[in-house]
């Protein structure tokens, strides 16, 4: 088990390293920040632009810039934003907890809703409850997240006035963005729980357990759920990356000042230091979650750990 | 129970079939491609004028025509991107899961790198480098999503690989590709099919989200996602611009998923309770 | 469990950033799209800075809501040495918000910094290169000496890079700290700054122009206009800055709110690719201009929130000629011109534009519709903003037409014309015309106001005669405002003067 862990941690570190190289390379193909900074300026000469580039350290060769960034990430000094010179570390310290909070709350909401609903649908397969749950999950899948978010704002933020339309200023501000993400996650999770549960329920040992007269609840939540945990956990691990992607859009709709908003602004303004740092931190986060999933895998199914 | 399944199947066929037929013949129904504009008739309410039964958008274009023609782009994006992702991902997942070791490591690390990069940010960066374009979008989506299929397929293969029927096939000297094709592929079909039906819908919506972020394609050519994104600011003043394309998406998604479910039952005899 | 507690703590910690401040008496909350991130005046050209910076800082002169220059930190000034030296008499008894005294040394410090190595790292320096030195005559008198005459220098002294900064404070805290905790002589003082969230200002009671009537001003940063308007409707902000046209209807029908629409600095045109393709032919360009009903676009899509233009400037701009009229809308003539130029029906043309500009997105589609009606096959292509402005336009990679919105806060046609039409300029990828170059260069050394105005008008006519662009409109600046805000003069240049504003 320990060897398995060490190997996986090394692999994860390697993945993050590849990501840093990719992002540092790609962002430098995407345009010149000096031009962006001087937008709206009177007459900008080539010399002015060169001055600004030197000021930003962009006159150095790529390898020097990349190693500087990598060294900075390792020592915890992430450099300064091109826009206004704010410390990148400070920006991330503000944004990261908010994004993690949003992701965790929406994931938790979704799991809490989809396990009982999915199991119920599987057990009552073909019945009214199953149909209703399935149709509702389909409806949840039929809207883009920004549109769903704007609808919630319209109903609960403006018409009813129950919740703040945007921002992380009040505790209640998390309700709508988390719900927007959770509704979409739940729609997929319910279906996944239902279908894996159906597979499991049709397997012999469950039938045996049932025929032995074990209580329905025990069969479902102890034996069957454990078996369908593998695909569910895989999928939640997979979803985490997608969730972070969805967070970019939802954070923008709800003006949630998290990593997604930060990244979005950084891409738009070619703020290399911020974008590099944000993507690296997000990648590390996603990789860690996937690592945790793999370890959970090993715990749930010893056959996988052994190889 | 049986009757209900049949009903679902019929509903799925009807919904998906109607949408596909409408989209296929949209050129005959609306020769202008939903692009004809009339600024004097902008934001007309639905049901007032027979010429614009579902109303008009801010440029004075017919919403009905655009909803029907709009399916072309949306279905194109959905179907092509998912097909690409599914084919690549399934092959990768089968190989990685069955052979393990070296291939597994290479493919899964590669997959990890991709999973660690949020799609929207990658799309934004590459749109910044290459420009927004229909085929760029499709390729972005396929590239970013094959990983999902690969992981799911691999996961299933890992649990199946050591099961009796695979072991016995192997002991009888059945070739690897034969095992992959005839014993493993049918068994991973269920989860893959679910992913497919979900992702076709998802990618239709993704096109919309990219338009929302200002990265969409030519807004003259109607697409459901684009209409939804462009109509959002009119939600309180002209709901019809975004509600009708929204309903079109819902009908399509619903139809696809009903068919997907039915197909799953059809292909998986053990699931018949 | 520990993790959850920490998350809850993070949540609670952010809960007190703006505790429903909009409703509070004496507090005005505004929302704008962007956080300028640095409040140091040498760092930025962003409108987003000007919106806030105007309340924190003052220049030697100030521009009122009527766009006229008036005394600010200087009480009077005179032009000397044939306009090569400007002598300013400074206001006595002014203090910075930290109590530091304002005097001639502060003026000298400000300009030395702007024009020195610190300034070179930022974009503002390029705007003030006409200044050769600032000489202190006595504590309340300075001379600004110019290398060459700059007809818009006085206007430029009213804002952005030329606002006066406190020498002692800045020298002590350094640039990075000043950028997030700025101090100026303005009517409001920064008390709290949350990057990308909000900046809170308190009234500075010792302001030289009299204490402001508001107690607090909060600027919130909201990227998405739909969200901004939702906050406005929910009563959590009082002023939404720069609302897209598509949302004006929503604001107008809300009884608590009103739409304030004022002529703004930004003029939008569709520039032609005059170097390649069908638009190389002047007749084709003329046909494309005459084929588009600009009046109808302003009336319907802009909902009247704009005025038609004949050149790349609005009526507030110096160099504007009220007698100049745009080419009329005449589709029949347009078709004839296309025929004459030998352009086949269905020839494709494309309009490139900035994808995140919601209003222009509609305008581009309507324009394409008109072009299709005269027999062209018109498409539109949205670009990511940065790619568009950094690569596609300057490197001449556009299609036949491309969106260009421009309007310096200085309201001088030179600021537009020189950059758009002079050969080799960054924003001019296609045109090379020695005659036009000469006109543009010559007007820069004219110091007589009337002669220079005539020269600028002549340039505008020359450009129109050669159909270098399809002039569209001067779009209004649109604000969504809560009715509880009183005494607000919505500024044309986005630079809010909040001294007299009150809230109910």
């Amino acid at each position: 088990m320990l060897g398995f862990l060490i190997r996986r941690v090394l692999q994860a570190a390697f993945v993050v390293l590849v990501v840093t190289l990719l992002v540092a390379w790609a962002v430098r193909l995407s345009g010149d920040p000096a031009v962006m900074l001087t937008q709206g300026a009177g007459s900008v000469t080539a010399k002015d632009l060169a001055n600004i580039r030197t000021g930003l350290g962009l006159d150095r060769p790529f390898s020097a810039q990349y190693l500087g960034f990598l060294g900075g990430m390792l020592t915890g000094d992430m450099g300064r934003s091109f826009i206004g010179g704010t410390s990148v570390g400070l920006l991330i310290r503000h944004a990261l907890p908010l994004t993690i909070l949003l992701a965790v709350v929406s994931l938790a909401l979704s799991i809490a809703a989809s396990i009982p609903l999915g199991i119920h649908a599987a057990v009552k397969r073909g019945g009214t409850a199953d149909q209703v749950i399935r149709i509702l999950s389909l409806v949840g899948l039929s809207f883009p997240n920004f549109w769903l978010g704007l609808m919630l704002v319209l109903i609960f933020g403006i018409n009813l006035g129950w919740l703040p339309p945007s921002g992380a200023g009040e505790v209640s501000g998390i309700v709508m963005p988390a719900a927007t993400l959770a509704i979409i996650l739940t729609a997929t999770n319910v279906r996944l729980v239902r279908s894996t549960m159906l597979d499991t329920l049709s397997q012999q040992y469950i039938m045996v357990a049932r025929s032995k007269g074990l209580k329905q609840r025990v069969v479902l939540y102890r034996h069957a759920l454990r078996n369908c945990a593998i695909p569910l956990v895989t999928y939640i691990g997979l979803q985490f990356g997608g969730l972070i992607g969805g967070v970019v859009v939802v954070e923008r709709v709800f003006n949630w000042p998290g990593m997604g908003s930060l990244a979005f602004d950084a891409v738009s303004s070619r703020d290399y230091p911020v974008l590099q740092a944000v993507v690296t931190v997000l990648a590390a986060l996603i990789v860690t979650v996937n690592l945790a999933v793999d370890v959970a895998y090993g715990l749930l199914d010893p056959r996988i750990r052994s190889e | 129970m049986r009757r209900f399944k049949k009903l679902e199947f019929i509903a799925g066929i009807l919904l998906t079939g109607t949408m596909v037929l409408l989209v296929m013949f949209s050129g005959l129904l609306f020769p202008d491609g939903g692009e004809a504009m009339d600024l004097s008739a902008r934001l007309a309410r639905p049901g007032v004028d027979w010429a614009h039964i579902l109303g008009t958008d801010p440029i004075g274009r017919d919403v009905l025509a655009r909803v029907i023609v709009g399916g072309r782009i949306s279905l194109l994006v959905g179907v092509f991107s998912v097909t690409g992702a599914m084919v690549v991902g399934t092959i990768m997942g089968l190989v990685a899961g069955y052979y393990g070791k070296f291939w597994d490591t290479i493919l899964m690390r590669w997959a990890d790198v991709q999973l660690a990069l949020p799609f929207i940010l990658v799309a934004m960066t590459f749109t910044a480098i290459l420009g927004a374009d229909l085929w760029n979008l499709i390729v972005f989506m396929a590239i970013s999503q094959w990983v999902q299929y690969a992981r799911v397929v691999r996961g299933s293969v890992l649990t199946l690989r050591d099961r009796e029927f695979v072991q016995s096939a192997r002991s009888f000297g059945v070739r690897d590709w034969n095992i992959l094709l005839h014993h493993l592929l049918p068994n991973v079909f269920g989860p893959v099919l679910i992913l497919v039906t979900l992702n076709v819908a998802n990618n239709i919506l993704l096109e919309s989200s990219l338009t929302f972020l200002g990265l969409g394609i030519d807004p003259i050519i109607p697409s459901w996602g684009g209409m939804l994104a462009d109509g959002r600011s009119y939600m309180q003043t002209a709901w019809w611009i975004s509600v009708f394309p929204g309903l079109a998406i819902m009908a399509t998604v619903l139809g696809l998923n009903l068919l997907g479910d039915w197909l799953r039952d059809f292909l998986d005899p053990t699931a018949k309770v | 469990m520990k993790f959850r507690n920490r998350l809850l703590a993070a949540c609670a910690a952010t809960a007190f950033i703006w505790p429903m401040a909009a409703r509070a008496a004496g507090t005005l909350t505004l929302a704008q799209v962007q956080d300028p991130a640095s409040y140091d005046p040498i760092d930025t050209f962003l409108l987003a800075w000007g919106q806030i910076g105007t309340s924190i800082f003052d220049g030697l002169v100030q521009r009122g809501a009527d766009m006229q220059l008036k005394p600010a930190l200087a009480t009077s000034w005179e032009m000397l040495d044939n306009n090569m030296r400007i002598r300013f008499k400074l206001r006595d008894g002014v203090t910075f918000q930290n109590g530091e005294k304002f005097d001639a040394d502060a003026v000298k410090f400000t300009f030395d910094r702007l024009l020195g190595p610190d300034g070179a790292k930022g974009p503002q320096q390029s705007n003030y290169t006409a200044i050769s030195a600032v000489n202190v005559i006595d504590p309340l008198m300075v001379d600004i000496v110019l290398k060459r005459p700059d007809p818009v220098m006085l206007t430029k002294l009213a804002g952005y890079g030329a606002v006066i900064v406190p020498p002692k404070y800045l020298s002590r805290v350094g640039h990075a700290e000043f950028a997030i905790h700025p101090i100026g002589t303005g009517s409001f003082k920064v008390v709290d700054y949350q990057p990308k969230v909000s900046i809170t200002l308190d009234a500075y009671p010792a302001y030289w122009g009299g204490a402001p009537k508001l107690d607090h001003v909060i600027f919130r940063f909201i990227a998405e206009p739909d969200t901004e308007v939702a906050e406005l409707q929910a009563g959590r902000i009082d002023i939404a800055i720069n609302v897209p046209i598509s949302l004006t209807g929503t604001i107008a029908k809300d009884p608590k709110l009103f739409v304030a629409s004022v002529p703004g600095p930004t003029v939008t045109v569709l520039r032609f690719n005059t170097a390649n393709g069908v638009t190389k032919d002047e007749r084709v360009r003329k046909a494309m201009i005459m084929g588009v009903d600009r009046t109808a676009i302003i009336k319907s899509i802009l909902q009247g929130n704009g005025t038609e233009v004949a050149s790349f400037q609005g009526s507030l701009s110096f160099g504007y000629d009220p007698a100049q009229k745009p080419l009329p809308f005449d589709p029949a003539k347009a078709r004839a011109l296309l025929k004459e130029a030998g352009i086949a029906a269905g020839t494709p043309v494309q309009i490139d534009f900035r994808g995140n500009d919601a209003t222009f997105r509609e305008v581009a589609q309507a324009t394409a519709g008109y072009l299709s009606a005269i027999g062209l096959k018109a498409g539109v292509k949205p670009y990511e903003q940065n790619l568009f402005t950094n690569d596609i336009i300057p490197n001449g990679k556009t299609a036949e037409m491309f969106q260009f919105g421009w309007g310096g806060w200085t309201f001088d046609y030179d600021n537009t014309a020189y950059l758009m039409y002079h050969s080799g300029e960054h924003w001019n990828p296609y045109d090379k015309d020695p005659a036009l170059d000469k006109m543009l260069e010559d007007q820069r050394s004219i110091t007589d106001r009337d002669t220079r105005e005539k020269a600028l008008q002549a340039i505008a006519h020359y450009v129109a005669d050669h159909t270098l662009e399809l002039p569209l409109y001067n779009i209004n600046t649109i604000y969504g405002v809560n009715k509880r805000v009183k005494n607000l003069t919505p500024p044309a240049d986005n630079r809010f003067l909040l001294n007299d504003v009150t809230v109910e």
Side-chain angles (χ1 to χ4, degrees):
Chain A
M1 188 67 197
L2 192 67
F4 168 76
L5 255 180
I6 292 173
R7 202 173 64 235
R8 291 295 289 110
V9 169
L10 285 177
Q11 281 167 348
F14 174 74
V15 165
V16 175
L17 191 71
V18 174
V19 168
T20 58
L21 190 62
L22 275 179
V23 66
W25 166 76
V27 71
R28 280 172 178 77
L29 289 180
S30 65
D32 183 356
V35 183
M36 185 72 192
L37 283 173
T38 52
Q39 246 173 51
S43 33
V44 181
T45 61
K47 194 172 144 278
D48 294 331
L49 290 178
N51 272 339
I52 293 173
R53 278 189 211 109
T54 312
L56 299 176
L58 291 173
D59 53 339
R60 297 173 299 157
F62 174 71
S63 55
Q65 292 181 43
Y66 175 67
L67 289 176
F69 149 63
L70 209 58
M73 289 301 295
L74 290 175
T75 56
D77 172 19
M78 303 190 202
R80 293 191 169 274
S81 158
F82 286 173
I83 317 293
T86 323
S87 148
V88 177
L90 183 80
L91 289 174
I92 289 183
R93 267 202 300 285
H94 276 280
L96 187 61
L98 288 170
T99 292
I100 293 182
L101 183 72
L102 185 54
V104 168
V105 170
S106 46
L107 209 53
L109 276 179
S110 158
I111 293 173
S114 50
I115 287 181
L117 284 175
I119 290 179
H120 195 66
V123 172
K124 299 278 156 71
R125 183 173 189 216
T128 319
D130 184 22
Q131 300 303 330
V132 169
I133 289 170
R134 278 176 51 206
I135 300 293
L136 278 183
S137 81
L138 290 180
V139 172
L141 280 177
S142 311
F143 305 108
N145 42 15
F146 74 86
W147 206 70
L148 192 60
L150 289 172
M151 286 300 101
L152 291 181
V153 168
L154 193 62
I155 297 167
F156 298 102
I158 299 173
N159 287 342
L160 296 174
W162 290 351
L163 294 165
S166 79
E170 296 97 315
V171 177
S172 54
I174 198 171
V175 176
M176 286 200 284
T180 305
L181 288 166
I183 286 172
I184 291 162
L185 288 176
T186 305
T188 45
N189 285 344
V190 164
R191 297 173 61 81
L192 199 78
V193 171
R194 177 184 179 274
S195 79
T196 46
M197 205 56 167
L198 282 178
D199 279 343
T200 313
L201 289 179
S202 66
Q203 275 171 22
Q204 260 171 353
Y205 71 97
I206 296 290
M207 301 205 183
V208 171
R210 272 182 159 170
S211 66
K212 274 188 184 161
L214 278 179
K215 273 199 194 124
Q216 171 89 335
R217 184 181 297 265
V218 176
V219 173
L220 289 177
Y221 284 85
R222 188 166 303 160
H223 298 278
L225 186 63
R226 189 182 156 93
N227 205 47
C228 74
I230 291 182
L232 191 64
V233 166
T234 317
Y235 201 68
I236 285 169
L238 281 169
Q239 275 179 335
F240 194 75
L243 181 62
I244 295 295
V247 160
V248 175
V249 175
V250 169
E251 282 189 358
R252 196 169 163 83
V253 172
F254 291 100
N255 213 45
W256 187 262
M259 298 291 269
S261 301
L262 205 55
F264 190 93
D265 290 347
V267 176
S268 317
S269 55
R270 306 296 187 264
D271 195 345
Y272 300 172
V274 174
L275 188 65
Q276 286 174 165
V278 169
V279 173
T280 306
V281 169
L282 287 181
L285 192 67
I286 294 169
V287 166
T288 310
V289 169
N290 279 312
L291 183 65
V293 167
D294 277 7
V295 172
Y297 242 64
L299 293 177
L300 290 166
D301 190 343
R303 278 169 300 176
I304 293 159
R305 180 175 50 194
S306 61
E307 37 126 353
Chain B
M1 180 61 215
R2 293 272 67 181
R3 211 183 44 186
F4 211 102
K5 275 266 81 103
K6 210 166 170 186
L7 263 177
E8 266 185 26
F9 172 67
I10 291 170
I13 283 284
L14 273 180
L15 279 173
T16 315
T18 313
M19 291 318 288
V20 170
L21 279 179
L22 277 176
V23 167
M24 273 170 67
F25 292 104
S26 59
L28 290 177
L29 293 169
F30 302 98
D32 65 22
E35 292 177 19
M37 70 163 203
D38 175 8
L39 283 186
S40 63
R42 80 191 282 272
L43 299 178
R45 296 192 145 272
V48 175
D49 181 357
W50 278 108
H52 304 298
I53 193 76
L54 297 187
T56 60
D57 72 1
I59 327 283
R61 294 173 301 204
D62 186 43
V63 170
L64 176 64
R66 290 183 73 76
V67 167
I68 291 184
V69 179
R72 283 187 202 164
I73 296 288
S74 300
L75 290 180
L76 199 72
V77 169
V79 171
F80 276 74
S81 58
V82 165
T83 310
M86 177 191 70
V87 170
V88 176
T90 306
I91 294 173
M92 298 288 199
L94 281 175
V95 171
Y98 186 71
Y99 291 104
K101 296 277 178 242
F102 179 72
W103 285 111
D104 194 33
T105 310
I106 295 282
L107 290 173
M108 286 305 115
R109 258 8 87 205
W110 182 11
D112 283 346
V113 169
Q114 277 195 221
L115 278 176
L117 289 165
F119 167 73
I120 294 270
L121 294 181
V122 176
M124 282 183 67
T125 312
F126 277 90
T127 313
I129 301 169
L130 300 170
D133 169 76
L134 184 62
W135 289 103
N136 282 353
L137 276 190
I138 291 174
V139 173
F140 288 155
M141 289 180 191
I143 288 178
S144 72
Q145 285 170 351
W146 71 267
V147 177
Q148 297 184 17
Y149 298 87
R151 297 268 302 215
V152 165
V153 169
R154 172 184 175 266
S156 302
V157 171
L158 280 182
T159 55
L160 288 170
R161 198 178 52 180
D162 302 324
R163 286 248 183 102
E164 282 153 43
F165 69 100
V166 176
Q167 298 287 11
S168 63
R170 212 185 271 163
S171 66
F172 283 124
V174 179
R175 286 204 197 99
D176 282 355
W177 63 267
N178 213 336
I179 294 178
L180 282 175
L181 210 64
H182 291 114
H183 297 276
L184 295 180
L185 192 59
N187 277 296
V188 300
F189 215 76
V192 167
L193 208 61
I194 295 175
L195 266 184
V196 166
T197 49
L198 292 176
N199 274 344
V200 169
N202 184 46
N203 289 1
I204 291 174
L205 302 179
L206 207 52
E207 190 248 335
S208 173
S209 291
L210 290 174
T211 310
F212 167 76
L213 295 174
L215 305 172
I217 55 168
D218 181 347
I220 291 183
I221 304 169
S223 76
W224 293 335
M227 292 173 77
L228 211 54
D230 284 349
R232 70 182 188 273
S233 299
Y234 291 95
M235 206 50 232
Q236 295 181 59
T237 47
W239 52 269
W240 54 92
I241 306 171
S242 47
V243 164
F244 292 119
L247 289 176
I249 292 181
M250 260 181 71
T252 311
V253 172
L254 200 63
L256 277 170
N257 284 299
L258 288 173
L259 276 185
D261 273 10
W262 175 83
L263 206 58
R264 181 185 176 281
D265 288 345
F266 183 78
L267 291 168
D268 187 0
T270 56
K272 285 194 179 122
V273 177
Chain C
M1 199 59 212
K2 212 172 188 182
F3 184 59
R4 212 184 84 202
N5 283 341
R6 206 171 295 165
L7 287 170
L8 285 175
C11 190
T14 50
F16 302 101
I17 300 170
W18 2 267
M20 291 298 282
R23 292 279 100 199
T27 300
L28 180 77
T29 308
L30 303 92
Q32 65 183 46
V33 168
Q34 200 179 7
D35 178 3
S38 166
Y39 292 84
D40 188 331
I42 64 173
D43 268 345
T44 176
F45 261 106
L46 297 170
L47 215 51
W49 184 91
Q51 278 153 202
I52 302 167
T54 308
S55 291
I56 307 171
F57 297 102
D58 290 307
L60 292 173
V61 297
Q62 185 182 65
R63 190 163 62 182
D66 56 357
M67 297 296 117
Q68 297 304 310
L69 291 176
K70 55 184 190 187
L73 292 179
T75 49
S76 64
W77 56 91
E78 55 182 327
M79 309 297 285
L80 303 168
D81 300 351
N82 198 18
N83 294 315
M84 293 295 278
R85 186 155 60 95
I86 320 174
R87 169 158 293 184
F88 291 92
K89 196 165 171 353
L90 304 180
R91 195 176 292 274
D92 194 8
V94 175
T95 51
F96 287 97
Q97 292 145 359
N98 61 345
E100 196 175 327
K101 207 170 146 43
F102 162 79
D103 59 12
D105 288 331
V107 178
K108 181 165 174 57
F109 175 84
T110 298
F111 285 94
D112 286 353
R113 179 169 174 269
L114 172 65
L115 300 168
D118 279 347
K121 286 185 213 143
Q124 277 290 336
Q125 191 183 66
S126 60
N127 234 10
Y128 297 90
T129 44
I131 299 174
S132 75
V134 173
N135 298 327
V136 175
I137 308 299
D138 68 47
L140 289 177
M141 192 176 289
V142 290
D143 280 357
I144 291 187
V145 186
L146 303 180
K147 283 180 218 162
R148 54 172 189 273
D150 184 341
V152 273
M153 183 49 76
L154 263 184
T155 308
K156 288 185 201 165
L157 293 181
Y160 286 91
V163 297
I164 307 301
V165 295
K168 288 201 192 79
Y169 175 72
L170 224 169
S171 307
R172 184 164 53 82
V173 300
H175 165 261
E177 175 65 16
F178 187 70
I180 50 175
H181 291 119
I183 294 276
T185 59
S187 47
F188 289 91
K189 176 187 171 161
V190 175
V191 290
D192 180 56
Y193 171 55
Q194 308 282 337
K196 313 257 176 196
V197 177
S198 66
I199 186 164
T200 305
L201 316 181
D202 276 5
Y204 176 47
Y207 180 56
W208 56 266
K213 300 200 171 61
L214 291 166
D215 299 328
H216 314 280
V217 173
I218 302 169
F219 286 89
R220 282 178 55 191
F221 311 116
I222 303 181
E224 194 53 41
D226 298 276
T227 310
E228 193 185 23
V229 170
E231 288 278 314
L232 187 68
Q233 288 185 287
R236 289 156 45 92
I237 59 173
D238 299 306
I239 301 177
I241 300 175
N242 288 340
V243 176
I245 307 272
S246 51
L247 283 162
T248 52
T250 306
I251 297 171
K253 75 174 190 157
D254 191 317
K256 301 187 301 296
L257 312 173
F258 68 95
V259 177
S261 174
V262 288
T266 307
V267 175
T268 305
V269 303
L270 276 166
R271 297 174 70 188
F272 287 111
N273 180 341
T274 54
N276 330 92
V278 291
T279 41
K280 203 175 167 180
D281 189 329
E282 208 170 297
R283 289 169 301 185
V284 177
R285 304 202 297 262
K286 199 168 172 189
M288 288 168 82
I289 300 174
M290 296 180 86
V292 177
D293 190 348
R294 289 137 285 163
T295 320
I297 288 177
I298 293 166
K299 191 167 146 259
S300 58
I301 296 195
L302 298 192
Q303 291 290 293
N305 290 296
T307 44
E308 208 171 335
V309 291
S311 67
F312 208 152
Q313 59 185 328
S315 57
L316 292 172
S317 160
F318 184 73
Y320 175 80
D321 180 0
Q324 190 178 6
K325 291 282 169 269
L327 283 170
F329 170 57
D330 187 344
K333 182 86 189 294
R335 272 198 205 89
L337 276 167
L338 285 180
K339 204 172 169 195
E340 190 189 319
I343 302 296
T347 301
V349 292
Q350 185 180 298
I351 299 170
D352 294 344
F353 71 103
R354 254 178 46 212
N356 60 356
D357 184 339
T359 301
F360 196 80
R361 201 177 168 81
E362 292 178 10
V363 172
Q365 296 181 66
T367 307
Y370 279 113
L371 294 177
S372 292
I374 59 168
L376 298 162
K377 174 79 188 114
V380 302
K381 178 163 184 177
Y383 276 99
E384 193 257 349
Q385 163 160 354
N386 204 291
L387 178 72
F388 191 51
T389 47
N390 289 354
D391 180 29
I392 301 298
I393 296 175
N395 295 330
K397 296 180 185 170
T398 71
E400 287 74 16
M401 304 176 95
F402 56 101
Q403 172 200 11
F404 212 101
W406 193 261
W409 62 284
T410 53
F411 290 100
D412 190 289
Y413 186 48
D414 167 73
N415 182 277
T416 308
Y418 197 93
L419 302 173
M420 299 300 135
Y421 313 126
H422 194 279
S423 306
E425 277 293 326
H426 183 72
W427 297 122
N428 178 17
Y430 300 121
D431 303 314
K432 277 190 190 66
D433 183 346
L436 187 54
D437 286 352
K438 189 164 171 354
M439 291 168 87
L440 287 164
E441 287 155 19
D442 288 353
Q443 59 80 25
R444 284 203 157 175
S445 50
I446 302 172
T447 48
D448 179 68
R449 217 183 127 82
D450 292 343
T451 322
R452 189 165 161 269
E453 185 166 25
K454 289 265 170 348
L456 287 174
Q457 288 172 348
I459 292 168
H461 280 278
Y462 186 93
V463 170
D465 292 345
H466 290 77
T467 55
L468 298 184
E469 71 221 356
L470 189 168
L472 281 169
Y473 46 75
N474 177 8
I475 195 164
N476 285 4
T477 306
I478 300 173
Y479 306 103
V481 187
N482 194 307
K483 285 179 179 158
R484 80 184 193 116
V485 180
K486 304 288 173 197
N487 272 334
L488 175 79
T489 314
D493 57 357
N494 279 317
R495 299 167 73 224
F496 283 90
L497 301 168
L498 298 171
N499 222 23
D500 295 325
V501 175
T502 55
V503 286
E504 277 171 358

